[in-house]
Amino acid sequence: MSDRKIKLAINLRGVGGSMSEWRHPDAKADASIDFELYKEWAQKAEAALFDILFIADGLYITEQSLPHFLNRYEPITLLSALATVTKNIGLVGTVSSTYSDPFTIARQFASLDKMSGGRAGWNVVTSGLLDGAANNFNGKQVHHDEKYELATEYLEITKGLWDSWEDDAFVRDKETGVFFDPAKMHTLNHEGKFFSVKGPLNIERSPQGQPVIFQAGLSEPGRNFAAQFANAIYSIPQTIAESIAFREDMRKRAVTFGRSADDILVFANISPVVGRTEEEAEQKYQEIANLVTIEHALNYTSRFFNHLDLSQYPLDEPAINLLELIPGQDGTFKYFTEELQSGKTLRQLALEATTPRSPFMGTAEQIADKLQAWFEAGAADGFMFVPFGPFGLDDFLNEVVPILQERGLFRTAYEAATLRENLGLSIPKNRYAQS
Amino acid sequence: MSDRKIKLAINLRGVGGSMSEWRHPDAKADASIDFELYKEWAQKAEAALFDILFIADGLYITEQSLPHFLNRYEPITLLSALATVTKNIGLVGTVSSTYSDPFTIARQFASLDKMSGGRAGWNVVTSGLLDGAANNFNGKQVHHDEKYELATEYLEITKGLWDSWEDDAFVRDKETGVFFDPAKMHTLNHEGKFFSVKGPLNIERSPQGQPVIFQAGLSEPGRNFAAQFANAIYSIPQTIAESIAFREDMRKRAVTFGRSADDILVFANISPVVGRTEEEAEQKYQEIANLVTIEHALNYTSRFFNHLDLSQYPLDEPAINLLELIPGQDGTFKYFTEELQSGKTLRQLALEATTPRSPFMGTAEQIADKLQAWFEAGAADGFMFVPFGPFGLDDFLNEVVPILQERGLFRTAYEAATLRENLGLSIPKNRYAQS
């Protein structure tokens, strides 16, 4: 355990993941569409020795969408651009397996991987049945039971295509005129339930062999999918106990799929608010939370209540009567159910839904203590850092990361040039290689 | 006419468009997969004030594919990476409308366009029925009669999505909390024969309004498609007369679609070989041509003869008897038919097919004269320069371009920051804009 270090990823989200961060006086209100700012952030995260720069995504918007979702860069293009202005940090982006083509996605991630010198990663998401994305893709719907079956076939194809060329396939012998060895070019010839893809891919493997696979599903089929394919999992746990249980479960599942428990890294989501004192941290949270009007907050929150007009309900009394309006029991719906059961008012619920309160609030030492506790208890192998407010990035990089380094919990130099090696993962051998 | 200037594009093709250029002593044999080299080329082309950097593409390979095709970057990723290391040059890439999703492609080009400050362009290709690409995309086939019908619907969708947001839709008023004006967000709600795409797109317009549309089809439906949508056409004419007729035809067709004749620019393909003397130019051509073995040449050429083993035929007598083996009459097949009818031997045919001889060979002055003649005769608005051999790029940029500038035929400084403005095209108004 002594050599085990915390892995750090940063989720870059422009104007932020809440409704109101863009209104802060120090915020760039067009941050989601400002490439120079993304470049600055990426270079800061790399200077702080982060493992990963992560770009999330979504495939549809409505008038009710959060500001960042309305107007932002597409992940493949953004990561490719950031590849040229960084040298060591991993470049991981979200793409849906339901709404894309495996041949194209295999190519785009292989291309990013090759041009970045082996730093690419793909966060595989399976878009849900209720997801408005279908409206932008010919109404294509994949039933819940089938979406991971489809994703499994999709991953088998992309991983197969990424092995189209053995590492020494390109001979390029000017003397003999032999450009490549045909025996080291492999045609996939995949014929499955959802896809037929012949191959080979028209690009060679990168120094890390294949792009890193990220995944974020929590359902039973989602966990098995991750256990089979993922090198890293993005989790959003509410408590340390929940996160320990989740990580243990994933490590066991990895073994049942013939992998090592250490082949799969859990990145717990954190959005810390750092102050010189606890009071200052609380004040920084309030600075952001108070930028939301109650009208905006109710409007935003209505999406979790079948888009009902919530302004018809009383704001300042326990809102337990709203329980029956919650249309589901998973994920965010579970959160709202528990909040209402605990006696929250509609005003509290709406404001906290709009500006979620991080469990990682306090001084830099307090936050470092908590990260250390989570890491050492086996609740996480690393953390997915989501900056909160325009001060969030500098606060965490300048105040918290150095403490983790002083404690020997985080690197003081990149170990390698590729993402897999920095994550401590092995570089997969080409399946066709003879030796 | 006095202000009319030649437009110049450069088609970057790694190890080259022929079978043998990579074997030249000065060639980088892995050029197609060397990002630093692409960056160097892009920056040289920009220093030479080129309008466009062009990346072609293909969606399948076989053992017989040319070296560059086997192992190269995917255009969207490559152009996004090149966007960050250039400032003025246009970034145009090929994507097939048959094997992609309009919502995704609209996003990716909009994202590239926005991050490059309005320099993106899309070369729309419709992959043919005989194209092996179908094997990599679930066997999807679009019949010849339908592929431009599909492309037309596809372009209507992407152009519609690119107008999702009026230019002043994002208010971002920190005081009032208004992030955007919902009246200036437009949902496309497209329902057509091939696609249903709701929108809106989740990214705003760039400074040039919409990405530039390139096209290269020569068939009747291809010409009408280009006349309707294209800002620029990539043509590969054999003679000046052919090119004048083509450009005149396209300008007339543009008018029938309610556009101005000047809204559509014809870029004629050139692959010049520059020498201090004609003899030196010929010697440079031979340097490359002689790198191909006759076995490789026959093997390559067989693709145009139903993959017959051509080594069974005599090499050095007029090969008119091969005429009946040519499976079609379009494009390259037409070229081979004419060559055989003119009395060429199989050896000549195979070697010239493998290393096509440019009509633009000679001294820099001679080549400049010819470009000027083509331009002034109305055979082209500009040229798509494809470097031939490892010396091709520097020769043209250092020797020929300065002559064009001295004659007032080519710019001496970029006129603007966006691709549309440098091309002399207008910036399209958002279709929903009231004023």
Side-chain angles (χ1 to χ4, degrees), chain A residues 1-6 375-376 407-410:
Chain A
M1 287 289 277
S2 64
D3 270 3
R4 192 171 162 249
K5 302 263 193 224
I6 290 176
F375 177 65
E376 292 180 346
R407 297 182 187 176
L409 291 165
F410 186 61

Side-chain angles (χ1 to χ4, degrees), chain B residues 83-333:
Chain B
T84 66
V85 296
T86 53
K87 285 203 169 69
N88 288 97
I89 197 166
L91 305 159
V92 180
T94 296
V95 172
S96 166
S97 55
T98 303
Y99 298 112
S100 63
D101 277 305
F103 190 81
T104 299
I105 293 305
R107 271 189 91 191
Q108 292 189 322
F109 276 107
S111 189
L112 173 64
D113 203 22
K114 181 70 191 164
M115 71 175 59
S116 66
R119 296 188 284 134
W122 171 24
N123 180 41
V124 185
V125 299
T126 60
S127 312
L129 249 193
L130 294 172
D131 194 324
N135 294 328
N136 289 327
F137 292 87
N138 304 323
K140 181 182 176 187
Q141 294 275 16
V142 179
H143 191 273
H144 187 79
D145 296 344
E146 281 196 326
K147 65 183 195 172
Y148 279 106
E149 192 185 346
L150 181 148
T152 298
E153 188 180 329
Y154 197 119
L155 261 284
E156 284 164 355
I157 295 165
T158 53
K159 290 178 77 66
L161 289 173
W162 288 330
D163 279 351
S164 292
W165 297 93
E166 293 184 43
D167 292 331
D168 54 354
F170 288 97
V171 178
R172 302 187 185 105
D173 185 329
K174 289 187 179 182
E175 200 55 45
T176 60
V178 175
F179 190 71
F180 73 102
D181 178 352
K184 294 183 175 178
M185 172 195 196
H186 301 281
T187 304
L188 187 64
N189 288 318
H190 174 88
E191 296 281 345
K193 177 174 174 183
F194 299 96
F195 301 102
S196 72
V197 179
K198 186 174 179 194
L201 201 64
N202 49 359
I203 182 167
E204 67 186 33
R205 280 160 54 105
S206 88
Q208 70 171 347
Q210 298 203 347
V212 164
I213 300 296
F214 247 76
Q215 213 271 341
L218 293 178
S219 67
E220 186 66 19
R223 290 185 187 211
N224 282 334
F225 175 79
Q228 190 174 359
F229 294 109
N231 306 112
I233 310 177
Y234 184 172
S235 73
I236 308 190
Q238 300 298 319
T239 65
I240 185 168
E242 187 189 311
S243 202
I244 291 168
F246 174 72
R247 180 167 173 272
E248 267 315 300
D249 178 61
M250 291 311 308
R251 290 170 63 82
K252 278 192 194 129
R253 285 180 201 245
V255 172
T256 68
F257 280 97
R259 304 171 67 201
S260 156
D262 292 333
D263 287 347
I264 194 159
L265 304 171
V266 172
F267 283 77
N269 185 78
I270 57 167
S271 203
V273 188
V274 188
R276 277 164 301 184
T277 60
E278 285 182 47
E279 293 68 33
E280 191 183 71
E282 176 64 24
Q283 184 195 318
K284 283 183 168 176
Y285 169 77
Q286 293 295 341
E287 268 182 37
I288 299 295
N290 290 332
L291 294 168
V292 190
T293 63
I294 185 65
E295 291 75 25
H296 273 128
L298 289 175
N299 187 28
Y300 174 76
T301 308
S302 74
R303 75 187 56 200
F304 305 108
F305 292 85
N306 278 327
H307 297 279
L308 267 178
D309 176 9
L310 293 176
S311 68
Q312 65 189 298
Y313 299 100
L315 279 170
D316 296 307
E317 54 193 64
I320 187 82
N321 59 310
L322 295 181
L323 258 183
E324 63 194 47
L325 304 175
I326 297 179
Q329 286 305 320
D330 293 344
T332 312
F333 297 136

Side-chain angles (χ1 to χ4, degrees), chain A residues 229-366:
Chain A
F229 294 110
N231 306 112
I233 311 177
Y234 184 171
S235 73
I236 307 188
Q238 300 297 320
T239 65
I240 185 168
E242 187 189 313
S243 202
I244 290 169
F246 175 71
R247 181 167 172 273
E248 267 316 299
D249 178 61
M250 290 311 306
R251 290 170 63 84
K252 279 192 194 129
R253 285 179 200 245
V255 173
T256 68
F257 280 98
R259 304 171 69 200
S260 156
D262 292 333
D263 287 347
I264 194 159
L265 303 171
V266 172
F267 284 76
N269 185 78
I270 56 167
S271 203
V273 187
V274 188
R276 277 164 300 183
T277 60
E278 285 182 46
E279 292 68 33
E280 192 183 70
E282 176 64 25
Q283 184 194 319
K284 283 182 169 177
Y285 169 77
Q286 293 296 341
E287 270 181 34
I288 300 295
N290 290 332
L291 294 169
V292 189
T293 63
I294 186 65
E295 291 74 24
H296 274 128
L298 290 176
N299 187 28
Y300 174 76
T301 307
S302 74
R303 74 187 57 199
F304 305 109
F305 292 86
N306 278 327
H307 297 280
L308 267 179
D309 177 7
L310 292 176
S311 67
Q312 64 189 298
Y313 300 98
L315 278 171
D316 295 308
E317 55 192 61
I320 187 82
N321 58 312
L322 295 182
L323 257 184
E324 65 193 46
L325 304 176
I326 297 179
Q329 284 306 318
D330 295 344
T332 311
F333 295 137
K334 180 161 169 258
Y335 163 79
F336 281 113
T337 299
E338 289 169 1
E339 291 290 288
L340 288 174
Q341 284 169 340
S342 78
K344 287 273 168 75
T345 67
L346 178 56
R347 185 190 299 274
Q348 287 170 324
L349 193 79
L351 290 176
E352 289 185 14
T354 320
T355 310
R357 177 183 288 272
S358 170
F360 293 83
M361 273 177 69
T363 67
E365 287 284 343
Q366 286 174 323

Side-chain angles (χ1 to χ4, degrees), chain A residues 84-105:
Chain A
T84 66
V85 297
T86 53
K87 284 202 170 67
N88 288 95
I89 197 166
L91 305 159
V92 180
T94 296
V95 172
S96 166
S97 56
T98 303
Y99 298 112
S100 63
D101 278 305
F103 189 81
T104 299
I105 293 306

